[in-house]
Amino acid sequence: MNHLLDVLFTFLHLIIIGFNLFAWIWRPTRRLHLIVAGLTLGSWFILGIWFGIGYCPVTDWQWKIKESLGETNLPNSFIKYYADKISGLDISSDVIDAITVISFLSAISLSVYLNFFKRKQQQ
């Protein structure tokens, strides 16, 4: 059962990350993108007050599953975990965090522009 949960959490992570990075592109998903991005920011910075900046409950839950499966020395970041796993390298957490923040803030900036400013220009 834990193997299945691990796979499901991986897919959930990938869906959330993909949605946060790309859902601003399509007009029908732009408002929902702002909501999901806002929830992500809330997790990172509001829950982060108690659990550490960048906190993700999905990662927390998945790491508990991975630990029950015997994995140890898990990084704080799902993105770091999979970047290392895919590349076979031990990529610096600072590099991963910087790429994550820049990509996420770029997507949010584009979403805010398209949801609020471009809309007003068209009216």
Side-chain angles (χ1 to χ4, degrees):
M1 183 64 163
N2 282 344
H3 288 288
L4 177 61
L5 287 172
D6 186 34
V7 170
L8 291 174
F9 276 121
T10 297
F11 281 120
L12 179 61
H13 263 117
L14 295 173
I15 289 166
I16 292 169
I17 292 166
F19 197 84
N20 274 329
L21 291 176
F22 302 112
W24 59 270
I25 295 171
W26 299 278
R27 185 179 302 252
T29 59
R30 286 181 185 159
R31 285 202 179 159
L32 184 57
H33 176 264
L34 282 177
I35 293 167
V36 173
L39 290 171
T40 301
L41 282 173
S43 173
W44 285 3
F45 295 107
I46 295 172
L47 291 177
I49 293 169
W50 294 278
F51 299 104
I53 299 300
Y55 176 75
C56 173
V58 178
T59 301
D60 197 16
W61 300 328
Q62 186 169 14
W63 276 196
K64 287 179 180 157
I65 298 295
K66 287 189 172 299
E67 287 169 355
S68 76
L69 293 170
E71 288 198 50
T72 58
N73 300 320
L74 295 164
N76 290 332
S77 164
F78 170 86
I79 295 172
K80 164 134 175 74
Y81 177 84
Y82 273 94
D84 289 354
K85 189 172 185 163
I86 290 167
S87 70
L89 303 171
D90 181 14
I91 303 169
S92 162
S93 292
D94 291 338
V95 169
I96 296 293
D97 292 346
I99 291 169
T100 300
V101 168
I102 290 167
S103 300
F104 186 62
L105 292 179
S106 297
I108 290 174
S109 298
L110 288 163
S111 185
V112 167
Y113 170 74
L114 291 171
N115 273 290
F116 297 108
F117 297 103
K118 183 158 174 83
R119 209 171 180 186
K120 288 180 183 179
Q121 291 173 357
Q122 292 175 346
Q123 292 177 353

